[in-house]
Amino acid sequence: MYCRRKNCINMAAVKWTIVLYGLLSLAGAEYYVFMNGDKANQGNVEINNGTAWYNLCTDGWDDTDAAVMCRMLGYTGDGANASVSDDGVTFSSQLQDKFDCDGTESSLQDCQTSSNNANACENSTRSHMACSDDPVPNDFFLVSLATAIARMDRKTGSLSLVQSGTLERVIAITYDSVRNNIIWTDINLNQIALCGINGGDITVLHQAGNASVMDGIAIDEGSRQVFYTDTGYDEIGMINLDTLVKTIVINTDLDEPRAIALDTTTREIFWTDWGANPRIEKSNYDGSGRTIIVSTGLGWPNAIVLNGDVLIWCDAQTDVFESVHTNGTGRVELISFNNHCFDFAIYEEYIYVNDWVYSKMVRVQTNGSVAELFGPSLSRRYGIFHYIKGNISYIYEFLSVKSVIVILYLLPNFKIYIFIYWALK
């Protein structure tokens, strides 16, 4: 059973078509850092060598190693401080090697390694570090792990734990770069809440009723408005971030409103609805000018992204990525992705997909030519949001094609080179 929200979907009834064209091993092991603490810029350190997570022995652990790891998490590395955890917890599963970094490296991959002192590591406590929180990271994914929120560096795939402990089922997630706040929906707590980029105290922006299921969220930073979808109350709402005043924008003729995107220039809302009659619609911020954009060939349109005047969405039932102009013309099937896309983000030539079939993120080139597993193995991922400072545009090279057919199958530690067929416009 695949539980998408508060209800479950029996995926055994879904027909899967898998065609394997060829596999090539991913070259070499890659190191990923995971920092787990009360704040995202300080905590205990774990290392993934491409296959599993390990604690890091304190033998040889120093500030130069910490500087490199902080850099892998998106911080500058300046002022990095290595220490020993004061929680008194010892461990048995540990990385056999220690890193001999000089502090200038951009990744642990560039550091020399040597064997640990077995006696020193026998009852070692955990390695701990702190990274300077100024300036804040500027190229990252925010990832919902249901009961936790993590920030993943796009270049290295390393993660910092932002929030955990009080969260129950975080689904949608976004980022307010004006105030460096992470904003999310928790469908078990029936809340929209926020915290700083490095975690800390949580502020509840909206407490909904018990029937609420807020699946989608989007922000207009300029007008300081957060929009959300609520399939429990069949409504689309808006919350002012400064006053916390809630306004219901639409609450008629909605069945299962899910994903939401904004055009902050034209002040339009776009959303998907995967109820009995799935569709993609739009309206103005005040709910006027409501128009159906797509109403055929949809199943579970889980996620949607706006690029210029083009909408891109993934459908977890029909297993495709498609695009259409916001006026309803020029619909194109981009990629046939035979898995279970829950959410995705696009940056430059890649689509980054949170897919429930795989423990890792899936990264697909936008021209459909290459797909691979990206980053370390994690628990099931829900919402994803990408932010890069000073660049909010997306590049869709695949919009120059009329049709792309990609049948994809991935195995751990492998990537697939996909044969495609396309017809130019």
Side-chain angles (χ1 to χ4, degrees):
M1 298 289 286
Y2 277 64
C3 296
R4 180 185 178 279
R5 301 188 317 237
K6 291 181 179 176
N7 58 320
C8 292
I9 298 167
N10 186 357
M11 292 300 292
V14 178
K15 182 179 179 181
W16 292 74
T17 303
I18 299 175
V19 178
L20 188 61
Y21 286 108
L23 293 172
L24 291 176
S25 297
L26 290 174
E30 179 63 87
Y31 291 111
Y32 304 102
V33 176
F34 174 57
M35 184 150 65
N36 179 358
D38 293 333
K39 300 190 71 176
N41 66 314
Q42 54 189 336
N44 296 324
V45 180
E46 295 181 37
I47 304 293
N48 187 299
N49 63 357
T51 58
W53 288 103
Y54 296 93
N55 287 285
L56 187 64
C57 174
T58 55
D59 179 36
W61 173 236
D62 58 26
D63 292 350
T64 56
D65 298 333
V68 176
M69 295 186 195
C70 287
R71 211 166 284 131
M72 292 177 69
L73 294 168
Y75 300 100
T76 64
D78 296 339
N81 175 256
S83 60
V84 177
S85 176
D86 59 4
D87 59 15
V89 176
T90 60
F91 55 83
S92 56
S93 175
Q94 61 181 276
L95 199 65
Q96 296 302 307
D97 294 330
K98 62 181 176 180
F99 297 98
D100 301 314
C101 304
D102 63 26
T104 63
E105 298 90 347
S106 59
S107 170
L108 291 176
Q109 194 81 353
D110 303 322
C111 296
Q112 298 294 318
T113 60
S114 59
S115 298
N116 281 326
N117 182 321
N119 292 330
C121 293
E122 184 175 359
N123 293 304
S124 173
T125 53
R126 295 185 289 187
S127 297
H128 185 279
M129 71 177 183
C131 306
S132 173
D133 59 3
D134 185 25
V136 299
N138 58 20
D139 185 2
F140 56 81
F141 297 105
L142 297 174
V143 182
S144 162
L145 303 171
T147 58
I149 294 171
R151 190 184 66 240
M152 175 188 285
D153 185 83
R154 184 186 62 85
K155 296 177 181 177
T156 69
S158 293
L159 299 108
S160 296
L161 186 69
V162 177
Q163 283 287 352
S164 66
T166 61
L167 308 180
E168 293 192 9
R169 200 169 185 190
V170 175
I171 298 294
I173 195 163
T174 190
Y175 183 62
D176 177 9
S177 65
V178 174
R179 304 204 178 151
N180 294 325
N181 284 328
I182 300 168
I183 305 173
W184 66 89
T185 68
D186 189 317
I187 64 170
N188 280 13
L189 296 177
N190 307 310
Q191 292 177 347
I192 297 175
L194 67 75
C195 71
I197 189 173
N198 286 315
D201 294 338
I202 294 174
T203 299
V204 176
L205 301 176
H206 172 53
Q207 182 65 59
N210 291 336
S212 172
V213 183
M214 293 179 285
D215 269 350
I217 195 169
I219 184 173
D220 182 337
E221 294 181 327
S223 67
R224 309 304 301 154
Q225 305 282 359
V226 168
F227 290 80
Y228 66 90
T229 61
D230 191 328
T231 191
Y233 288 110
D234 294 331
E235 70 181 30
I236 295 173
M238 175 177 67
I239 299 169
N240 185 292
L241 285 171
D242 296 327
T243 66
L244 302 188
V245 172
K246 169 194 167 183
T247 302
I248 295 177
V249 179
I250 297 173
N251 62 358
T252 60
D253 195 26
L254 293 172
D255 191 358
E256 297 277 359
R258 168 61 171 99
I260 188 168
L262 304 177
D263 187 326
T264 59
T265 301
T266 63
R267 296 177 62 82
E268 290 179 301
I269 314 166
F270 303 87
W271 70 91
T272 68
D273 190 313
W274 58 277
N277 299 294
R279 57 193 184 271
I280 297 173
E281 297 187 68
K282 70 175 181 179
S283 78
N284 297 317
Y285 276 12
D286 62 2
S288 65
R290 185 173 177 180
T291 305
I292 295 176
I293 301 173
V294 179
S295 61
T296 60
L298 298 174
W300 301 329
N302 267 1
I304 194 167
V305 172
L306 177 68
N307 175 58
D309 70 339
V310 176
L311 291 164
I312 299 93
W313 71 94
C314 72
D315 193 308
Q317 185 182 69
T318 62
D319 299 326
V320 295
F321 282 79
E322 295 189 76
S323 71
V324 70
H325 290 282
T326 55
N327 63 5
T329 64
R331 183 177 179 179
V332 175
E333 181 177 310
L334 303 171
I335 301 173
S336 179
F337 194 88
N338 289 10
N339 297 303
H340 191 86
C341 168
F342 189 89
D343 200 2
F344 70 98
I346 302 180
Y347 178 66
E348 292 186 338
E349 72 271 25
Y350 288 105
I351 308 172
Y352 297 85
V353 188
N354 274 352
D355 188 287
W356 281 3
V357 175
Y358 307 109
S359 62
K360 298 183 179 183
M361 194 181 296
V362 178
R363 185 172 72 173
V364 185
Q365 280 196 340
T366 51
N367 63 8
S369 61
V370 177
E372 60 191 1
L373 297 172
F374 175 80
S377 295
L378 300 168
S379 60
R380 176 170 288 180
R381 290 145 288 110
Y382 292 82
I384 179 174
F385 183 85
H386 175 252
Y387 170 76
I388 184 166
K389 184 177 180 179
N391 186 355
I392 59 173
S393 64
Y394 300 97
I395 299 173
Y396 296 100
E397 296 177 359
F398 52 59
L399 295 182
S400 64
V401 303
K402 183 177 180 181
S403 62
V404 177
I405 300 173
V406 178
I407 302 176
L408 170 67
Y409 179 57
L410 294 173
L411 292 174
N413 301 320
F414 286 91
K415 69 179 176 182
I416 196 169
Y417 285 87
I418 304 165
F419 295 85
I420 65 172
Y421 166 80
W422 70 91
L424 294 178
K425 286 185 177 178

